[in-house]
Amino acid sequence: MQNKPETNKDISFEGFKSEVLNDYRIAVISRQCSLLGRREVLTGKAKFGIFGDGKEVPQLAWAKAYKDGDWRSGYYRDQTFMMAIGNLTIEQFFAGLYAHTDIEADPMTAGRQMGGHFGTHSLDEKGNWKDLTAQKNSSPDISPTASQMPRLLGLAQASKIFRNVEGIDTSGLSENGNEVAWGTIGNASTSEGMFFETINAGGVLQVPMVVSVWDDEYGISVHAKHQTTKESISEILKGYQRDEENKGYEIFRVDGWDYPKLIDTYQRAGALARKEHTPVLIHVLELTQPQGHSTSGSHERYKSRERLDWEKERDCNAKMREWIIANGLASDEELSELERSIKKQVREGKQKAWNAYLAPILQERQEVMEILTSLASVSNNRIFIDKLRNALARGNEPIRKDVMIAARKALRYVINEESDEKNRLQDWLNGYFKKIQPKYSSHLHSESDKKATLVKEIKATYDADAPDVDGRIIIRDNFDVIFGENPDALVFGEDSGNIGDVNQGLEGLQEKYGKLRIADVGIREATILGQGIGMAMRGLRPIAEIQYLDYLMYALQLMSDDLATVQYRTLGRQKAPLIVRTRGHRLEGIWHSGSQLGGILNLIRGINVLVPRNMTKAAGFYNTLMEGDEPALIVECLNGYRLKEKMPNNIGKMKTPIGVVEVVKEGTDITLVSYGSTLRLVEETSRELLEVGINAEVIDVQSLLPMDLEHDILKSVSKTNRLMVIDEDVPGGASAYILEHILNEQDAYNLLDSPPRTLTSKPHRPAYGTDGDYFSKPSTEDIFEAVYNVMHEMSPADFPKLR
Ligand SMILES: Cc1ncc(C[n+]2csc(CCOP(=O)(O)OP(=O)(O)O)c2C)c(N)n1
Ligand SMILES: [Mg+2]
């Protein structure tokens, strides 16, 4: 099932006719999938369905303009397009609906996302690049509406970089930047800020991006009059239209049922974007929802009779059918025959997909039933085990949960019994978890040999007479090596280009490496992030700079929903090794205090979170990440750029290991765990504590996600038997995260002779000024007193009450 790319105007009538009929076939197959898909949900075989019915015909036209190497960033209505480019079969469509966890059956997401979330494979099963120029690519969809837009910007910008930056090895990635990035979005979702932010940035950057708005006048039940000024996105975006004097967008409007005009529009849009790198908006009007929005509601509830009738009449497939007959390409009977055979084909495909989905589960159920039968025969609780077995046997459509419930509950009935059958059940359960759990949990991080934690440490080394320099010099010189050695590396952010970032860590590099690689961008954190995701997905090595950690919040939703889940939601078949560079900790005032790490850590599992205490460590992290294939957030210490550090003689080579802590001061009485700027205060305090006879061990976590894979903190606690975690986040923030790890992962509880403590900032945002900081965040006096109190509680005689 694939349509002919690019219609050739000179083909014979027969050729033209067969092309049109093949397109119609795909439209009908897609529609039939939607109709049967809904039925599968309503009869309980699938949990939820959201389909592409009513949007088929424009997607056929789009697919014709889509070339090898192109990229899609779209949403859940695009099944017809995926079918037309040959990347989605009937069986795969239904496998996705059933959440089949086999990537062969559901190549889109291996059952991890609900149906209607599409994506192609950029990587093989080992994590190596495939030839992206020889296939039609789709970035992996996510559910939050409009979140596909920032990524689209980056996918498009990659073409611009590939075309205009010298020295990049583009083989398998790009052919002279000729690739177009195609976006789709529903009319209502254009209300989102991210849509407007992306449109503006695309116009500024002039990148080859074609945005189609599928307009069916509704967003679930909410009409366009509540969504869009003047009820028309193309109307209000008119100011973006390019003209003789100014670059901008080319804007097209076309009805979604007008097959020939759609083809013409998509050809023109594709050519313009491909050749000139001009962004294009296509507003596709008069689309419908034959079955309503999704399986969770019915549109009869909120659409008028007139509207429902109008939708029937404008149904794009019906209009295409009329057009075929009117132009003598096929008769009514011929089309009816075609439709009948397609119905059968889709039914059969659906059944095949269901059988394939169910077969392994039936097998697993059979195994458990056999074990339970024999367990029952030797158990005193036979009746109860039989009951479980019979309940499991009853359903025709078991899921894994049913199998697990029976097996795990049965074990409870034989707690006090010993038998070979019990051993068998235990072994089966343990083996089953080992085998099945990864189907739901693997690939949160890379599982390739470029996994970030596999990159070996290279310590910074120093000449005997190494000078002390400002920290920012170390970070700058290290970036110089990175950009010098990696033509595919680039950095972009507010003030990153011309002045070389607000702290001059990129000073002079734009002159050296050009405005495309060391780039100033607008104030638009979400699309800075999206730009990075898109470019990383296409094989570049972007570093997205967010000026201050406090403003990461604007990008955080995308980091959480998109970046952090790329590997997971594609079962490792796509990656986006984007480095997010920012600076934070310990500045002044409510919006420049930069410490909201607890929130960040909880939201971006799947991304490495690195908090180096100085610029040498930070530089080493960049070097490590450049060798790996994973995304990361690096928080540089805002107050560290002007602090002196010794200049290493292996700039650009040293590597800070990920997931490894560092003991920065050895001690015997208590383990103090911290990171970032606070670490310096803890170190300072540990010297003061020596004066009262407390010898603290100080550990720099430096890598919060992943954290202390070697369990070095446990080793320290086993020596000191006391623990305090100190940071400048709110109570229950990152300090709680660290403590949870030490107690649960490392099982430190039994080693402790005193209660474990955390010392954090106050729960409010820090007040402004030095005193604001002093009374809001932990000071050295706070740290001193907190540690002293632990010792006082332990031995009031040795450590009399301080205050
Ligand atoms: C950020 C976000 N808010 C709300 C939703 C729930 N939701 C899913 S689809 C949808 C309506 C989208 O309408 P439109 O963009 O016009 O696309 P259509 O379904 O009509 O093609 C909403 C509100 C969501 N997925 N993401
Ligand atoms: Mg809509």
Side-chain angles (χ1 to χ4, degrees), residues 512-781:
K512 207 163 166 185
Y513 300 107
K515 289 186 176 160
L516 279 174
R517 293 186 61 201
I518 316 291
D520 283 320
V521 301
I523 308 178
R524 46 175 183 76
E525 286 77 11
T527 46
I528 289 174
L529 205 282
Q531 244 174 293
I533 297 176
M535 285 197 276
M537 278 179 170
R538 291 194 58 188
L540 292 167
R541 294 309 310 263
I543 301 173
E545 186 171 315
I546 302 293
Q547 199 159 68
Y548 298 102
L549 183 61
D550 306 72
Y551 307 119
L552 189 77
M553 305 287 251
Y554 280 52
L556 199 53
Q557 179 262 330
L558 282 180
M559 290 180 75
S560 182
D561 288 329
D562 197 349
L563 185 60
T565 66
V566 171
Q567 291 256 355
Y568 178 78
R569 72 185 195 263
T570 64
L571 203 84
R573 295 313 197 273
Q574 287 205 31
K575 65 176 176 181
L578 166 65
I579 300 174
V580 182
R581 174 188 193 215
T582 189
R583 48 188 75 82
H585 312 309
R586 229 59 226 197
L587 202 62
E588 305 264 320
I590 297 182
W591 292 281
H592 289 89
S593 50
S595 311
Q596 71 284 35
L597 270 162
I600 292 169
L601 286 166
N602 285 324
L603 286 169
I604 63 170
R605 302 294 159 98
I607 298 177
N608 297 287
V609 178
L610 309 171
V611 283
R613 69 179 180 277
N614 60 35
M615 297 305 152
T616 307
K617 289 276 169 186
F621 274 137
Y622 286 108
N623 298 336
T624 301
L625 291 167
M626 289 302 293
E627 203 174 302
D629 66 356
E630 292 188 36
L633 169 69
I634 298 193
V635 185
E636 295 168 16
C637 291
L638 235 170
N639 56 6
Y641 296 108
R642 308 271 158 201
L643 294 181
K644 299 290 181 203
E645 294 180 34
K646 278 218 175 320
M647 187 72 177
N649 60 15
N650 59 344
I651 284 277
K653 301 275 177 298
M654 68 253 192
K655 298 201 179 88
T656 314
I658 289 174
V660 180
V661 304
E662 188 177 332
V663 179
V664 294
K665 180 194 163 298
E666 291 196 9
T668 48
D669 296 330
I670 184 167
T671 300
L672 306 181
V673 178
S674 191
Y675 60 90
S677 296
T678 311
L679 196 276
R680 256 195 308 278
L681 304 187
V682 174
E683 251 189 302
E684 197 182 317
T685 313
S686 69
R687 287 192 290 274
E688 296 172 8
L689 285 164
L690 281 174
E691 292 163 16
V692 293
I694 299 171
N695 186 6
E697 179 141 310
V698 179
I699 295 184
D700 181 6
V701 175
Q702 61 186 348
S703 165
L704 286 171
L705 255 181
M707 189 185 135
D708 192 15
L709 299 171
E710 307 283 325
H711 291 193
D712 287 328
I713 297 175
L714 187 72
K715 286 169 207 154
S716 172
V717 174
S718 69
K719 186 170 63 173
T720 64
N721 309 111
R722 269 172 276 279
L723 172 66
M724 184 175 296
V725 181
I726 304 140
D727 81 348
E728 51 171 308
D729 195 0
V730 294
S735 62
Y737 160 84
I738 294 171
L739 188 60
E740 188 275 343
H741 180 94
I742 299 169
L743 293 182
N744 277 339
E745 283 287 313
Q746 307 198 4
D747 208 9
Y749 179 79
N750 288 325
L751 298 172
L752 292 169
D753 290 342
S754 297
R757 300 281 185 207
T758 60
L759 178 64
T760 65
S761 74
K762 300 284 183 293
H764 53 75
R765 301 279 186 103
Y768 182 56
T770 304
D771 281 349
D773 178 87
Y774 191 84
F775 286 96
S776 301
K777 290 195 173 185
S779 62
T780 49
E781 285 71 40

Side-chain angles (χ1 to χ4, degrees), residues 205-216:
L205 291 172
Q206 289 292 297
V207 288
M209 126 185 152
V210 179
V211 180
S212 296
V213 179
W214 303 146
D215 193 343
D216 56 18

Side-chain angles (χ1 to χ4, degrees), residues 222-237:
V222 181
H223 187 258
K225 65 178 177 236
H226 302 294
Q227 301 280 1
T228 311
T229 308
K230 301 184 183 179
E231 297 183 30
S232 167
I233 194 67
S234 54
E235 185 61 30
I236 59 171
L237 291 181

Side-chain angles (χ1 to χ4, degrees), residues 122-148:
S122 305
L123 307 171
D124 65 21
E125 63 281 4
K126 293 213 168 82
N128 300 312
W129 286 109
K130 297 169 74 179
D131 183 351
L132 306 183
T133 61
Q135 64 180 33
K136 296 185 166 68
N137 304 288
S138 170
S139 62
D141 294 352
I142 62 177
S143 290
T145 59
S147 290
Q148 69 271 34

Side-chain angles (χ1 to χ4, degrees), residues 320-485:
M320 184 176 178
R321 193 180 198 280
E322 283 167 21
W323 179 85
I324 291 171
I325 296 170
N327 285 278
L329 299 170
S331 67
D332 184 22
E333 296 74 50
E334 283 167 331
L335 293 182
S336 297
E337 180 50 40
L338 179 71
E339 286 149 10
R340 261 195 303 281
S341 81
I342 287 173
K343 269 190 187 159
K344 185 161 171 283
Q345 188 191 351
V346 172
R347 252 198 330 270
E348 287 168 1
K350 182 207 77 168
Q351 197 54 45
K352 240 171 108 181
W354 176 252
N355 292 344
Y357 159 77
L358 203 59
I361 303 177
L362 288 176
Q363 168 65 30
E364 291 155 19
R365 176 172 75 167
Q366 189 57 32
E367 286 168 20
V368 168
M369 290 203 313
E370 278 169 30
I371 296 173
L372 294 192
T373 304
S374 49
L375 183 68
S377 72
V378 298
S379 170
N380 296 331
N381 285 318
R382 170 182 197 134
I383 302 169
F384 300 106
I385 297 169
D386 272 345
K387 219 168 141 190
L388 285 172
R389 199 206 84 103
N390 295 340
L392 180 60
R394 259 196 297 277
N396 289 332
E397 293 157 5
I399 57 174
R400 292 202 161 104
K401 184 179 170 188
D402 302 328
V403 178
M404 290 305 269
I405 288 173
R408 296 172 85 176
K409 288 204 161 146
L411 208 49
R412 297 180 197 170
Y413 291 117
V414 290
I415 289 176
N416 297 317
E417 299 176 11
E418 287 305 328
S419 68
D420 288 348
E421 286 73 13
K422 176 181 170 181
N423 294 342
R424 216 174 124 208
L425 179 59
Q426 286 170 329
D427 289 348
W428 187 91
L429 263 171
N430 293 338
Y432 189 72
F433 265 119
K434 215 163 153 196
K435 189 172 103 195
I436 301 297
Q437 187 69 47
K439 290 182 180 297
Y440 302 92
S441 300
S442 72
H443 294 90
L444 179 59
H445 293 276
S446 168
E447 297 192 2
S448 81
D449 57 9
K450 295 202 178 61
K451 192 175 169 56
T453 47
L454 296 178
V455 178
K456 291 265 170 311
E457 177 177 16
I458 298 179
K459 287 192 168 24
T461 52
Y462 300 92
D463 293 334
D465 56 350
D468 283 329
V469 296
D470 284 353
R472 68 141 192 126
I473 302 288
I474 293 174
I475 208 100
R476 180 197 66 188
D477 289 2
N478 194 74
F479 275 131
D480 194 1
V481 177
I482 287 179
F483 294 119
E485 288 182 355

Side-chain angles (χ1 to χ4, degrees), residues 55 75 186-188 214-220 289:
K55 317 278 189 302
Y75 79 117
N187 59 294
W214 303 146
D215 193 343
D216 56 18
E217 282 189 40
Y218 282 85
I220 310 187
Q289 301 178 338

